[in-house]
Amino acid sequence: MSLFSQQEVADYLNMLRKIVEHGQSEGIFRRNLHPQLAAKAVFGVLDEMVTSWILSEKDYALADQAEQVADLILTGLL
């Protein structure tokens, strides 16, 4: 995270927020979720997954967890 500026993180969160808003306007995502909160939650999940993978002493493929993480995130948004 230290390699990213505050503006880059803000831009990323804004992109996630817009995706949530678009999904809500299309009736795909739950409308009772605050888009900025949902964006921060998605960012937090992804950030933790990558951070744990980078810091882990175990050798495993991060991509092996992608389907479960996507399911967790999308289930929360639907």
Side-chain angles (χ1 to χ4, degrees):
M1 284 299 294
S2 64
L3 299 176
F4 293 105
S5 71
Q6 283 184 317
Q7 186 59 52
E8 288 171 318
V9 173
D11 290 345
Y12 184 65
L13 285 170
N14 190 43
M15 179 185 65
L16 290 172
R17 179 187 55 78
K18 287 180 181 180
I19 291 168
V20 172
E21 289 173 342
H22 179 74
Q24 288 174 321
S25 70
E26 295 290 318
I28 298 168
F29 295 155
R30 294 176 14 201
R31 294 177 192 262
N32 64 337
L33 296 174
H34 189 280
Q36 187 66 22
L37 177 62
K40 288 180 180 181
V42 169
F43 177 84
V45 168
L46 297 176
D47 181 55
E48 177 58 27
M49 296 304 301
V50 171
T51 300
S52 294
W53 177 67
I54 289 171
L55 298 177
S56 176
E57 294 181 8
K58 299 177 183 174
D59 186 25
Y60 65 95
L62 184 60
D64 291 346
Q65 299 177 354
E67 189 173 330
Q68 287 185 31
V69 171
D71 181 56
L72 173 68
I73 291 170
L74 290 174
T75 300
L77 292 171
L78 299 177

